Amino acid sequence: MPEKAKKIVIVGGVAAGATAAARIRRLDENAEIILLERGPYVSFANCGLPYHIAGTIEKRSKLLLQTPEGFFSRYRVQVLLNTEAVDIDRTNRKVTVRDNKAPNPEQALSSIDYDALILAQGGTPIIPPLPGVDQSHVFKLWTIPDMDAINKYIKEHQPKHVVVVGGGFIGLETAEAFVERGLSVTIVELTDHLMPPMDFLYGKRIQERFEAAGATVLVKKGVQSIQKDTVTLNDGSEIPADMVLLSVGVRPNTELAKKAGLEIGSTGALVVDEYLKTQDPYIWAAGDMVEVVSRISGAKIRIPLAGPANRQGRIAATNVVASLSEARGEVGPMPLKYKGAIGTSVVKIFDETAASTGFSLAAARKAGFDAREATILKANHATYYPGDQDLLLTLVYEAKTGKLLGAQAYGKEGVEKRIDAAAVAIYAQLTVENLTEIDFAYAPPYSSANDPLNMAAFTAMNALSGYSNQISADELPLDGSVFILDVRTYGEYAKGHLADAIHIPLDEIRDRLEEIPHDKPIRIISEGGFEGHLANRILAQQGYQDTAYISGGWATLRLRDGLAIEA
């Protein structure tokens, strides 16, 4: 008599869960797969929600990647919508579920047994305990019903002023959508810059673009309470708001795991091993609800991003089938390890792009690295080919070894291309010296003979070797202790400059050395960094002992707070 089919239950039907279900079927045609989803939709594109609100994705149906019927037809997966797992009996391997649509609460509960269980419950937006958060004009954006509620409210109530609380990915993407819909938008961010995972200067660039589009950005501000038509900030000021979006962070959905006695880590997420197995030999987990290892620092972290969630779902599914096959004495797939995450992300800012991978400079130093940064402002492709655009690019690296720890970029074109390449370099544990040697694809419409990544790596190597010293914009003293030399052109200088800077264009330096003192440290401002390096080399060879240029030049310095800028 043939053995009973393996029964695998998956809790959560979006990124990790849906991926796991499809992967299991590809590995085992005979397994019984049941997917539980507490919401009304399965396998939907939650990353696309803001773009439907904006009207960029016109058809709502485009966001519905699968239906229960489609899942069964293609994969023979039984999908139970509006079905919430409320308890796990680990001893008897049973999941208690509640039918959230059942008319009679007494009939709502039932149990499903399993041979293996995958938890893929994701995360939930944090709703701060503020007065007024439960009003009808206050929203979050995480699911299809959340999106529908926002669209319905805009259509029926035609709000004029919307406040977006939180300047992370979802907050910014939805704020842009509201601007595109013609609403007056105010973004309130508690930290000192938008997109907190990136360094300050990138948050400032993002802020400038939102302000250019007509939005108001308030940083270092928090919300104290929400009224019918206003929001009160923690400084006592009030701003108009007939609609509010809360986007202050995401917490992992670990209530079921906690109730089952599974271990929760220091990050607040579920603990899994390198095979994505919990301490229970029959339970695996994947996605936003688990804590993973940083491939850079080795520390336990949470990375609530779709890419890692999908890959974790695939790996967890493979290991479930491998484990069950081994227990039955069958030949199954080779188990896979999840070796950790880097954290690579990209966000559209109207017609511009911000992207990052690995650690920001602030995050690297917080993690204990003696980290430095090299920032350049370069054209995204050859300047003699029409249409070149400025690209701001930062490499974060370890001072002792030159090992690449992170990268950030901002611009109109070519941003994600460089960050993807940097992500591969971090994965391979390359150094900035290695980056100087890599042959990147080149043709005038796409890059330069030395790609901006090469150029940033050259900059880092120049600093590491002592060949050309540099400092970050934040390290420039403004107390008169250094001689600030601005080597930009007359036109660049006229657009904005430090009140205390002495202007000597780069091409005039050799003829005006008598204006530059030998008894003071020299700090050099250029437009994007490169001309500062050239000036630095001239002065060093003219006998000046303490010289350094500002990494990224005026492109980074002008974003620093508290500067006395003249134009």
Side-chain angles (χ1 to χ4, degrees):
M1 182 175 177
E3 287 194 68
K4 180 183 175 183
K6 307 162 192 172
K7 190 172 185 179
I8 303 167
V9 175
I10 302 169
V11 183
V14 190
T19 297
R23 173 70 170 173
I24 290 169
R25 177 57 71 224
R26 291 194 295 271
L27 292 171
D28 188 340
E29 181 64 18
N30 298 313
E32 181 183 357
I33 307 168
I34 299 176
L35 192 154
L36 311 176
E37 171 53 50
R38 67 178 179 179
Y41 299 95
V42 66
S43 189
F44 62 89
N46 54 355
C47 295
L49 303 181
Y51 302 107
H52 179 63
I53 294 173
T56 307
I57 299 174
E58 294 183 8
K59 293 184 178 180
R60 178 180 179 276
S61 59
K62 291 285 188 180
L63 301 174
L64 305 176
L65 306 180
Q66 264 292 5
T67 63
E69 296 77 16
F71 241 125
F72 185 81
S73 176
R74 176 158 295 183
Y75 297 108
R76 290 299 188 268
V77 171
Q78 183 183 0
V79 176
L80 303 179
L81 296 181
N82 301 298
T83 304
E84 184 174 2
V86 295
D87 194 30
I88 302 172
D89 179 351
R90 290 168 53 189
T91 301
N92 297 302
R93 280 184 266 164
K94 292 181 181 293
V95 178
T96 300
V97 301
R98 179 173 58 224
D99 180 356
N100 291 329
K101 290 290 188 179
N104 186 345
E106 295 179 0
Q107 300 174 347
L109 294 179
S110 61
S111 66
I112 302 172
D113 61 331
Y114 63 84
D115 293 309
L117 179 65
I118 298 178
L119 301 179
Q121 295 168 276
T124 298
I126 296 169
I127 305 300
L130 300 173
V133 294
D134 56 350
Q135 296 178 81
S136 61
H137 69 298
V138 180
F139 299 90
K140 56 182 174 61
L141 182 60
W142 197 249
T143 65
I144 294 285
D146 292 339
M147 178 192 72
D148 291 342
I150 290 171
N151 278 331
K152 181 181 179 182
Y153 189 86
I154 293 175
K155 181 179 180 180
E156 293 181 355
H157 296 271
Q158 298 182 343
K160 293 180 173 58
H161 302 281
V162 57
V163 170
V164 175
V165 186
F169 291 101
I170 296 172
L172 294 182
E173 289 170 344
T174 313
E176 179 181 335
F178 290 148
V179 171
E180 298 287 357
R181 293 284 291 266
L183 299 174
S184 174
V185 177
T186 300
I187 304 171
V188 180
E189 168 57 44
L190 191 60
T191 71
D192 64 356
H193 64 281
L194 299 181
M195 195 56 69
M198 300 183 76
D199 279 317
F200 179 84
L201 75 96
Y202 288 93
K204 288 286 284 187
R205 286 296 298 267
I206 294 170
Q207 178 176 337
E208 287 182 339
R209 186 63 189 88
F210 267 96
E211 290 172 341
T216 299
V217 177
L218 303 176
V219 296
K220 294 191 280 190
K221 303 284 186 184
V223 172
Q224 183 173 305
S225 63
I226 302 172
Q227 292 72 237
K228 180 180 179 182
D229 298 312
T230 61
V231 164
T232 302
L233 302 182
N234 54 5
D235 61 1
S237 62
E238 291 189 353
I239 51 178
D242 41 13
M243 183 176 180
V244 177
L245 176 80
L246 298 175
S247 181
V248 298
V250 177
R251 62 170 179 81
N253 290 328
T254 57
E255 293 83 0
L256 179 66
K258 286 179 183 177
K259 190 176 180 181
L262 299 177
E263 183 182 358
I264 305 301
S266 59
T267 66
L270 180 61
V271 172
V272 292
D273 65 13
E274 60 187 349
Y275 296 98
L276 298 177
K277 183 185 285 187
T278 69
Q279 81 261 34
D280 187 303
Y282 301 100
I283 302 177
W284 286 254
D288 293 359
M289 69 178 297
V290 305
E291 68 175 22
V292 298
V293 174
S294 165
R295 291 187 67 96
I296 305 169
S297 68
K300 292 297 181 72
I301 56 174
R302 287 179 52 229
I303 298 187
L305 295 172
N310 276 275
R311 287 185 289 279
Q312 290 164 24
R314 182 179 186 274
I315 290 172
T318 302
N319 294 336
V320 163
V321 175
S323 178
L324 293 178
S325 298
E326 182 183 14
R328 290 172 170 235
E330 301 171 354
V331 177
M334 290 292 293
L336 299 175
K337 293 181 180 181
Y338 186 73
K339 299 177 182 178
I342 294 170
T344 305
S345 60
V346 61
V347 60
K348 174 181 171 291
I349 311 294
F350 298 97
D351 57 346
E352 297 177 338
T353 301
S356 66
T357 186
F359 285 156
S360 65
L361 180 63
R365 289 176 172 171
K366 184 177 181 181
F369 289 98
D370 179 12
R372 297 184 186 178
E373 58 87 13
T375 300
I376 63 168
L377 181 72
K378 298 291 290 184
N380 67 304
H381 62 61
T383 55
Y384 58 80
Y385 186 87
D388 63 288
Q389 302 285 345
D390 281 345
L391 175 72
L392 187 67
L393 174 65
T394 296
L395 299 182
V396 178
Y397 59 94
E398 189 175 28
K400 183 178 179 181
T401 64
K403 180 181 175 182
L404 189 64
L405 303 175
Q408 300 161 88
Y410 188 90
K412 289 192 174 183
E413 295 181 7
V415 171
E416 70 284 0
K417 164 185 172 179
R418 272 74 187 200
I419 293 303
D420 283 342
V424 174
I426 294 172
Y427 183 91
Q429 299 187 354
L430 300 186
T431 65
V432 288
E433 183 176 8
N434 297 141
L435 275 182
T436 68
E437 302 167 352
I438 294 178
D439 297 335
F440 295 106
Y442 162 61
Y446 303 105
S447 183
S448 299
N450 281 319
D451 188 84
L453 274 171
N454 296 128
M455 296 299 294
F458 292 153
T459 301
M461 285 302 298
N462 287 341
L464 281 175
S465 66
Y467 174 68
S468 189
N469 296 326
Q470 61 174 288
I471 62 170
S472 68
D474 288 338
E475 294 172 325
L476 176 66
L478 300 174
D479 57 3
S481 61
V482 299
F483 182 85
I484 302 176
L485 175 62
D486 192 322
V487 301
R488 293 178 295 156
T489 66
Y490 286 101
E492 291 167 345
Y493 182 79
K495 292 177 182 177
H497 56 267
L498 289 188
D500 296 334
I502 303 302
H503 181 224
I504 304 177
L506 174 63
D507 294 341
E508 299 178 16
I509 283 182
R510 293 181 181 88
D511 299 320
R512 298 173 60 180
L513 290 173
E514 70 280 358
E515 300 176 41
I516 305 173
H518 279 270
D519 59 351
K520 260 191 171 185
I522 311 298
R523 299 296 178 258
I524 305 166
I525 302 171
S526 60
E527 187 66 14
F530 180 65
E531 294 83 1
H533 160 62
L534 297 181
N536 200 34
R537 291 302 305 150
I538 292 171
L539 294 178
Q541 294 176 83
Q542 291 289 342
Y544 289 85
Q545 297 298 311
D546 187 352
T547 64
Y549 70 97
I550 294 173
S551 176
W554 186 250
T556 64
L557 182 61
R558 70 173 184 80
L559 299 172
R560 176 174 164 179
D561 283 340
L563 294 181
I565 296 178
E566 297 179 348

